[in-house]
Amino acid sequence: LESSNMGLPQQHGPAFQVYDSSTKDQSVSALTFFTLVKPSEKEALKSDEALAKQCAEQMAKVWTYFRQSEYANQAFYYTKFHVQRWPMEKWISEDDKPTTIHPHPHPMRALSEPEWDGLLEFAGSETDRQSPGVMEGAVGAARRVLQSLESFVESLKPERSNVCVVDSTKAGELSDQTA
């Protein structure tokens, strides 16, 4: 598929979003899933391997739907998987067993505005003006802050003016010519 990310129908599995995390040169193929495991899926709640298998099954169904049988057949041939259960992280979530997906935030211009006369910039997915709350938002926010910092650094450079530079080794010649 030619999409770098897409939403997934949750009636076919735990994932609601998938991102192509492959390297640009395709030397590593990887998919990143965002999931919401239903309380009834006890095995996937406990086992990372079971969750990875359910995501593979879900992708196989999606690729079959899009008539991509070659990809569907490859869905189960992954060599590694890593599960990060974000709701279990203390600073990420107050609910360690969420049952719903909260919508991504809407852009809030105030979060993307510099503070302290431009000396403090905020960068993070939620501060992006186009795609807050998602990976593209993190990249957009980083680019916005980088551009702002580049402008700030440029403003610190002294202005060029018409300054006469005299070579001190030839200062004697100059005084002889003016006499």
Side-chain angles (χ1 to χ4, degrees), residues 38-177:
K38 296 174 185 167
S40 61
E41 296 290 336
K42 305 247 186 261
E43 190 177 347
L45 284 171
K46 295 180 198 170
S47 165
D48 292 349
E49 188 171 350
L51 181 58
K53 183 179 177 191
Q54 285 184 3
C55 288
E57 289 170 352
Q58 186 176 4
M59 278 311 302
K61 289 175 186 173
V62 168
W63 281 323
T64 299
Y65 175 81
F66 285 112
R67 297 187 176 129
Q68 299 291 322
S69 58
E70 180 182 333
Y71 292 128
N73 293 333
Q74 293 176 14
F76 301 98
Y77 293 105
Y78 52 89
T79 57
K80 294 181 188 177
F81 64 88
H82 172 78
V83 174
Q84 177 64 51
R85 295 183 186 261
W86 290 110
M88 305 301 283
E89 296 295 322
K90 179 180 178 181
W91 303 109
I92 299 296
S93 178
E94 294 175 356
D95 183 0
D96 64 349
K97 293 184 179 115
T99 57
T100 60
I101 305 291
H102 299 291
H104 291 297
H106 296 287
M108 292 185 61
R109 190 161 188 84
L111 292 175
S112 64
E113 295 294 324
E115 293 288 333
W116 298 347
D117 295 323
L119 296 176
L120 178 63
E121 295 276 354
F122 297 97
S125 67
E126 283 73 11
T127 69
D128 187 53
R129 296 174 183 166
Q130 301 295 319
S131 302
V134 296
M135 290 178 166
E136 290 88 344
V139 172
R143 286 181 174 156
R144 174 183 46 80
V145 170
L146 177 61
Q147 185 177 26
S148 178
L149 291 173
E150 288 173 338
S151 295
F152 178 74
V153 168
E154 190 64 32
S155 74
L156 297 176
K157 291 181 180 177
E159 288 187 38
R160 295 182 184 194
S161 60
N162 295 332
V163 176
C164 178
V165 178
V166 176
D167 184 346
S168 62
T169 60
K170 298 186 179 188
E173 296 172 18
L174 182 61
S175 60
D176 290 342
Q177 293 174 1

